[in-house]
Amino acid sequence: MSGQQPEGRGRPRLPIEDGFPIERVNEIAAKESRAKQHYRPVYTMHKWWARRPGCLFRAISLYSLLDEDTDPADVSVYEPGENQTLGANGLSSEDLVDAIGETSIEDPEPLWEFYPKDVRIQNKKVLDPFMGGGTSLVEASRFGAETVGYDLNPVAWFVTKKELEAGQTDPEKLQEAFEQVRDDVADEITQYYRTPCPNGDHEADVMYNFWVKELDCVSCGHTVPLFKDYRVAKGRYENDDKYNVLCPDCGAVTLVDDWQSESECNECDHEFVPKEGNVSRGGYYHCPECGQKESITGAISEQGIPDMRLYAVEYYCEECDNQGLERSKYKGYKQASPADKKLFEEAKRDWEARTDLHKYVPDEKIPKGSITVSSAINGNDVFEHGYEDWTDMFNERQLLSLAKILKSISRLSREVGDYLLLALTDALRTNTMMVSYDTAYNKIGDFFRTNSFNPPTYPVENNVWGTEFGRGTFKSSWDMVVKGVEYANAPTDRYVENGDTAETEEFAQPIGQNSEIHQGDMRTIDAEDEYDLVLTDPPYYDNIIYSEVSDYFYVWQKILLEDEYEGFDQEHTPRVDSIVTNPYLDKTAEDFEHEMGQALDVINHALKDDGTLAFTYHHSDEESWGELLESLCNTGFEVTGTYPINSDLMKFIGGEAVSFDIVIVARPTEERTPISWRNLRIRILNRLDEIQDGLEEHRDLTEGDIGVVEMGACFAEYSRHHGEVRRGGEIMTAKEAVEKIYGIIQNNALGEEDIFLDLLRAGSPSYDDLNKLLRRSDASEEELREKALFRVEGNSFVLGDWDDEKRQAYVQQAVEGDGDASALDKAHYLRYRYEEGKSTAEYLERWDHDELAELCESLAAASGDETYLNLVGLDVSLDSYTDS
């Protein structure tokens, strides 16, 4: 047994249809997802949402770009490293071709041996119509494929463009450009991020400034700082069992043993419980003087934008570090001093005076949408919090610093300037007054941690340029860009060997050769029979409203790119044409399904007749899987396999709300053959038995993972007959089939009727055939013998059909006596009466017609006898139930 697709369709089979190394991919993916900057730094040059692990798309490419017709002359295998010797690792092109044929569902790893090798595959063309952050194109390009990408979003286009060009970019030229910007503006920026060192008469670097919003009490007028609690940060070093908290009385930053219990300030001896702030759930604040409770947004609507107060600083002192002081001395937290507040006011005056810099910050208003306005997707409304313009998300010191950097970048060529722009806009995730401090991990938060706009009540201000320590500064973002470019020039791969992570030598072939990308709607693609593989990660309903979240980067990028690249000349990124549900634009799930259908139709036309669509899919809604299957089938695809990505299908189909990810493989088809549901169900059960036996014996997979592979087999069987599956005289929809398939996967056992139909279809069954079926059944031989469904006479195996005397006797007793007649008993009884010319009307009126009709369809198909259809009044021919 091999693969998930039991029969050929006149096209070369792919390794990914025969088996996929789920265990090997997932063990790398789990590590890569936690440390992208080490595994594939090209993807950490700039934020894009919901990126799939690069190892996943590399594995899919390897298992999809090769097929059973691949010739050794079509491929090359090199050992990563300086010599790049063909076959030096003991693996040659011939070995690769042999591994393709040896790959199976029980053992998908012969081909996996080539995952860490530099494999080049000739004459392959790959399309990603929803390229997003470009992972698919980057990974496919490493195999020498010609890659083409489309995305409606200009930010995605720009990010992917720079990733693909990175392999042809000189890191030294980039570093020279950075140093030019550094010499131009770094000192001007860092002068505003200095603070008096608490250890002597000198200054330290500011890592982070801590701010709090303040509103007046609507009752007594007392100024209320909007703290949920008074934590500043967890203790470090020798104080790692303590917490730094803010004293609400004197404003000192003090160490306490337990921030959730009553504590005492080390400066003023004030007793308080740091856990008890002034902000409560639901967006309310209460006055500590009079106890009045009020909605924050309600107070903002009356009082205007809240005041901001600087209350604490995290610092690093290089001088104290060089003197050898303890770490908790030269790096720590302190109360904001008058000098700190004065310095901010100086930066504010500088910003207001430097009108020449104002064109280097966005001048657009924040557009209303599902994420900026309260909706079913996002409960926040930035407008209710007083935000109107994009610049409202920054303070004046940040705007001054960012504008200075952007102005300096504008003097550079696009070749190098684009990469500095990437670093700057990626740093916006942590250089905004829309982020708070992660007190448990002593670091600044990420603006897009929740993929929405959540205005914090006590934000933290980063050091924009950066110092020795700190996260998300421009300098540290630039380091990530340089590492990404260096990796793209000479990529490596990490993999797990004997439980340990190993890393290859550098590959000689850089990323992104022979690639092109387009900014625009993929539905305008007019390619016909052009691509060998479409590899993509499509949008999922309302999972992320990419157009709205990416606006945050777009309005800054367009300042320099508006006259350089198409797509950067609008106020915001495209909305209406995005294939996604969007409540604010009244784009419904039905709209999404219709538009995805259009997209799949375009993809089918773009693929070669023997091409492949491989994509990842993520959703927790059971109904969406039926819609997906129906969309694929309606646009001329059949599913040929599914594989899990760290998912648990068994919990999902058991009714638990579990989100999970699947790799789906589909091929174009024009063949749809008719079948009855009952016969399709038996085929599915037989297929599942083969798969389960092979996986349980040879693979180390969880029950949930096996369930996903089994679901792929079920989808494959169904999609070969989509639109031709009859049940009770009606055509089944894909959604109905998916619902039944879940039940089959859960139970996965042949019933009494299934066994009889399988034996009937065989024509001349044997006792051995019966025993094989019984091993996968919840029925017993004794029950079948008792019901006269079979008997053994001498050396002959006799199937108890409707016209067998002993079966007739049992059926008559079961129907007319006190027996509990099954649907099969009733069908045989009706057939006997029909042949005898006796009336069947009273029984048809009494019994469940749908159940009988469904069974009679299968009996007709299995026996080739249309009488069963006439028996229950089905006005269709046998051709509607069988392709024979």
Side-chain angles (χ1 to χ4, degrees):
M1 187 230 21
S2 66
Q4 295 192 48
Q5 184 185 12
E7 301 172 25
R9 302 289 260 186
R11 62 193 174 210
R13 288 180 56 74
L14 312 171
I16 200 168
E17 293 176 310
D18 287 327
F20 192 64
I22 303 160
E23 306 95 315
R24 303 290 80 80
V25 173
N26 279 344
E27 66 186 357
I28 303 175
K31 296 173 182 288
E32 182 180 328
S33 297
R34 293 192 297 267
K36 294 185 183 72
Q37 71 274 23
H38 300 303
Y39 277 71
R40 281 173 166 77
V42 68
Y43 301 132
T44 57
M45 295 198 300
H46 198 280
K47 168 75 176 180
W48 192 255
W49 292 265
R51 282 187 186 269
R52 297 299 181 185
C55 64
L56 173 63
F57 277 146
R58 176 168 175 79
I60 294 174
S61 298
L62 178 64
Y63 278 69
S64 301
L65 289 172
L66 301 166
D67 60 54
E68 63 182 352
D69 288 349
T70 298
D71 189 272
D74 300 329
V75 292
S76 301
V77 182
Y78 296 91
E79 181 72 16
E82 292 183 5
N83 293 328
Q84 284 291 300
T85 306
L86 179 66
N89 57 327
L91 296 173
S92 65
S93 301
E94 289 76 12
D95 295 325
L96 177 64
V97 171
D98 289 342
I100 296 170
E102 293 166 3
T103 296
S104 68
I105 198 166
E106 300 97 333
D107 182 15
E109 298 193 13
L111 189 58
W112 180 252
E113 289 187 55
F114 294 85
Y115 176 88
K117 306 306 176 186
D118 190 354
V119 177
R120 318 276 179 86
I121 307 170
Q122 295 182 15
N123 303 319
K124 294 293 182 179
K125 194 167 184 180
V126 178
L127 168 69
D128 187 345
F130 302 105
M131 66 185 180
T135 308
S136 59
L137 303 178
V138 167
E139 298 304 327
S141 75
R142 295 181 58 196
F143 289 99
E146 180 182 353
T147 60
V148 179
Y150 283 77
D151 205 289
L152 185 65
N153 194 296
V155 177
W157 175 86
F158 182 60
V159 170
T160 301
K161 172 182 170 65
K162 304 321 295 181
E163 289 174 356
L164 292 170
E165 291 176 354
Q168 290 75 52
T169 300
D170 185 350
E172 291 186 5
K173 287 185 178 180
L174 294 185
Q175 191 59 33
E176 290 172 4
F178 171 76
E179 290 169 2
Q180 182 178 332
V181 173
R182 181 196 63 195
D183 295 343
D184 190 15
V185 300
D187 289 344
E188 294 180 12
I189 294 170
T190 55
Q191 68 171 320
Y192 289 118
Y193 290 94
R194 303 287 290 169
T195 186
C197 179
N199 305 313
D201 189 19
H202 55 269
E203 289 188 327
D205 292 328
V206 171
M207 293 168 56
Y208 304 113
N209 287 304
F210 295 79
W211 296 80
V212 64
K213 295 178 179 178
E214 295 182 326
L215 287 169
D216 292 339
C217 172
V218 296
S219 179
C220 70
H222 179 75
T223 299
V224 182
L226 302 183
F227 287 112
K228 295 178 182 176
D229 58 63
Y230 290 100
R231 282 178 296 171
V232 175
K234 194 176 185 300
R236 287 201 190 100
Y237 315 125
E238 67 269 22
N239 298 314
D240 61 3
D241 59 340
K242 295 180 171 59
Y243 247 97
N244 293 283
V245 300
L246 179 73
C247 174
D249 192 49
C250 72
V253 176
T254 187
L255 275 170
V256 300
D257 293 327
D258 183 2
W259 69 275
Q260 301 188 63
S261 302
E262 186 166 324
S263 304
E264 185 177 289
C265 174
N266 295 325
E267 297 293 326
C268 70
D269 298 330
H270 175 67
E271 294 183 352
F272 66 106
V273 179
K275 182 181 180 181
E276 297 175 357
N278 304 316
V279 173
S280 57
R281 291 191 178 204
Y284 290 89
Y285 73 103
H286 68 269
C287 176
E289 291 293 311
C290 71
Q292 177 68 37
K293 186 177 180 180
E294 179 64 29
S295 161
I296 292 175
T297 55
I300 291 173
S301 68
E302 293 181 11
Q303 301 175 30
I305 299 173
D307 292 329
M308 298 279 279
R309 174 167 64 87
L310 180 63
Y311 67 89
V313 170
E314 182 176 3
Y315 66 91
Y316 162 70
C317 182
E318 184 178 14
E319 184 172 330
C320 291
D321 188 0
N322 292 335
Q323 290 176 9
L325 298 186
E326 293 179 349
R327 287 183 296 176
S328 58
K329 292 289 187 183
Y330 66 72
K331 185 167 178 279
Y333 304 87
K334 70 185 187 74
Q335 181 178 2
S337 67
D340 296 315
K341 298 173 183 178
K342 179 182 177 182
L343 192 60
F344 175 76
E345 291 302 322
E346 290 177 8
K348 182 177 179 180
R349 286 193 296 272
D350 192 0
W351 169 246
E352 291 169 349
R354 289 291 304 272
T355 55
D356 62 306
L357 291 176
H358 288 202
K359 67 180 181 180
Y360 293 102
V361 300
D363 61 0
E364 290 88 356
K365 291 191 172 297
I366 301 168
K368 292 185 176 181
S370 287
I371 290 178
T372 54
V373 177
S374 182
S375 72
I377 293 175
N378 176 53
N380 298 295
D381 188 321
V382 296
F383 303 101
E384 290 182 351
H385 286 267
Y387 300 88
E388 294 181 0
D389 303 319
W390 286 109
T391 50
D392 292 338
M393 295 183 176
F394 306 85
N395 69 24
E396 291 85 352
R397 179 161 48 192
Q398 290 172 326
L399 292 172
L400 174 67
S401 303
L402 294 167
K404 283 175 179 278
I405 296 172
L406 197 58
K407 181 179 180 180
S408 183
I409 293 172
S410 71
R411 303 188 183 110
L412 303 172
S413 69
R414 290 269 60 80
E415 180 186 6
V416 292
D418 281 355
Y419 285 100
L420 282 140
L421 179 59
L422 269 189
L424 181 66
T425 56
D426 191 59
L428 294 174
R429 291 191 288 153
T430 47
N431 287 278
T432 171
M433 298 301 280
M434 294 289 285
V435 293
S436 54
Y437 195 76
D438 189 333
T439 58
Y441 292 95
N442 301 83
K443 64 181 182 179
I444 195 169
D446 187 328
F447 183 31
F448 286 115
R449 183 178 62 84
T450 60
N451 295 327
S452 60
F453 299 143
N454 297 318
T457 56
Y458 40 111
V460 62
E461 175 194 2
N462 206 348
N463 181 322
V464 174
W465 185 268
T467 181
E468 181 70 18
F469 297 97
R471 173 177 179 263
T473 65
F474 174 67
K475 188 170 70 172
S476 62
S477 292
W478 176 248
D479 289 341
M480 297 298 287
V481 168
V482 172
K483 288 177 182 176
V485 172
E486 290 173 343
Y487 175 86
N489 274 266
T492 64
D493 251 292
R494 298 189 183 211
Y495 56 100
V496 178
E497 189 172 52
N498 299 322
D500 297 323
T501 300
E503 185 174 13
T504 68
E505 296 292 326
E506 294 177 348
F507 285 53
Q509 179 169 251
I511 282 168
Q513 291 182 330
N514 204 16
S515 297
E516 66 175 82
I517 59 172
H518 306 273
Q519 188 270 314
D521 192 334
M522 61 79 59
R523 285 168 288 184
T524 63
I525 296 173
D526 58 3
E528 292 277 348
D529 195 29
E530 185 173 334
Y531 293 95
D532 300 280
L533 172 66
V534 172
L535 176 59
T536 190
D537 180 30
Y540 317 118
Y541 289 82
D542 61 2
N543 193 40
I544 298 175
I545 308 293
Y546 295 98
S547 58
E548 293 186 18
V549 290
S550 63
D551 277 345
Y552 179 73
F553 298 131
Y554 173 81
V555 293
W556 287 86
Q557 291 174 353
K558 76 187 289 285
I559 295 169
L560 297 190
L561 303 183
E562 186 170 10
D563 297 326
E564 299 291 335
Y565 303 124
E566 291 184 11
F568 285 90
D569 56 352
Q570 302 298 315
E571 285 193 7
H572 53 71
T573 60
R575 294 276 196 279
V576 176
D577 292 332
S578 295
I579 301 179
V580 67
T581 61
N582 189 326
Y584 190 80
L585 298 178
D586 294 324
K587 293 194 69 172
T588 64
E590 289 73 22
D591 294 324
F592 172 80
E593 291 156 19
H594 172 70
E595 292 174 353
M596 273 304 297
Q598 293 177 321
L600 288 168
D601 197 49
V602 169
I603 290 170
N604 197 325
H605 282 88
L607 275 172
K608 295 178 179 177
D609 289 342
D610 61 352
T612 307
L613 167 62
F615 64 101
T616 55
Y617 198 73
H618 169 96
H619 218 278
S620 58
D621 180 357
E622 177 180 329
E623 189 172 341
S624 72
W625 294 100
E627 290 159 354
L628 170 65
L629 183 59
E630 189 143 16
S631 293
L632 284 168
C633 292
N634 285 343
T635 51
F637 285 100
E638 64 173 307
V639 175
T640 59
T642 64
Y643 299 98
I645 314 170
N646 293 322
S647 56
D648 195 340
L649 181 75
M650 304 316 289
K651 287 184 178 179
F652 177 75
I653 64 178
E656 295 185 40
V658 178
S659 293
F660 64 102
D661 301 283
I662 288 183
V663 175
I664 297 177
V665 185
R667 307 285 291 270
T669 185
E670 295 180 357
E671 299 179 41
R672 304 286 191 201
T673 55
I675 197 171
S676 72
W677 165 248
R678 291 296 296 263
N679 287 343
L680 176 59
R681 179 178 179 275
I682 293 170
R683 287 193 185 185
I684 288 173
L685 284 166
N686 289 334
R687 187 80 185 110
L688 292 182
D689 184 62
E690 295 175 10
I691 289 174
Q692 196 161 52
D693 283 350
L695 294 181
E696 288 180 349
E697 183 177 352
H698 300 284
R699 304 282 293 276
D700 182 21
L701 293 173
T702 67
E703 183 184 5
D705 287 343
I706 291 174
V708 172
V709 178
E710 290 178 334
M711 186 172 74
C714 296
F715 283 5
E717 289 288 353
Y718 168 80
S719 60
R720 296 164 71 83
H721 307 282
H722 173 70
E724 299 282 355
V725 181
R726 287 186 179 270
R727 180 170 179 256
E730 302 293 331
I731 298 294
M732 286 186 76
T733 66
K735 292 180 184 179
E736 291 171 334
V738 167
E739 183 179 349
K740 293 290 185 183
I741 285 169
Y742 287 151
I744 292 173
I745 293 174
Q746 281 183 300
N747 298 322
N748 196 9
L750 292 170
E752 175 185 290
E753 292 162 4
D754 299 320
I755 291 175
F756 179 82
L757 288 168
D758 233 354
L759 294 172
L760 182 62
R761 189 180 300 107
S764 300
S766 68
Y767 185 68
D768 284 343
D769 294 329
L770 172 63
N771 278 324
K772 288 177 184 177
L773 294 170
L774 284 171
R775 284 197 292 269
R776 300 167 31 234
S777 172
D778 52 13
S780 69
E781 179 177 335
E782 291 73 17
E783 289 175 325
L784 298 180
R785 194 187 297 274
E786 180 184 328
K787 294 179 179 182
L789 284 168
F790 85 95
R791 64 182 179 275
V792 178
E793 295 179 347
N795 294 325
S796 299
F797 180 85
V798 179
L799 186 65
D801 205 350
W802 69 270
D803 55 355
D804 179 79
E805 290 185 3
K806 293 187 177 181
R807 174 64 177 158
Q808 288 176 21
Y810 172 82
V811 166
Q812 187 167 347
Q813 176 62 32
V815 172
E816 297 178 358
D818 298 328
D820 184 15
S822 68
L824 183 58
D825 295 336
K826 294 171 183 176
H828 281 172
Y829 183 76
L830 290 176
R831 178 63 193 275
Y832 177 76
R833 290 186 66 86
Y834 184 87
E835 293 294 338
E836 292 292 313
K838 298 178 180 179
S839 173
T840 59
E842 64 173 291
Y843 298 100
L844 288 171
E845 290 176 4
R846 190 196 322 163
W847 292 337
D848 186 328
H849 180 271
D850 291 342
E851 181 184 36
L852 278 172
E854 182 182 330
L855 179 57
C856 285
E857 289 169 337
S858 297
L859 288 167
S863 63
D865 187 347
E866 286 190 351
T867 306
Y868 282 108
L869 303 178
N870 301 329
L871 187 65
V872 287
L874 293 175
D875 188 20
V876 288
S877 70
L878 190 58
D879 292 340
S880 301
Y881 296 96
T882 177
D883 54 359
S884 60

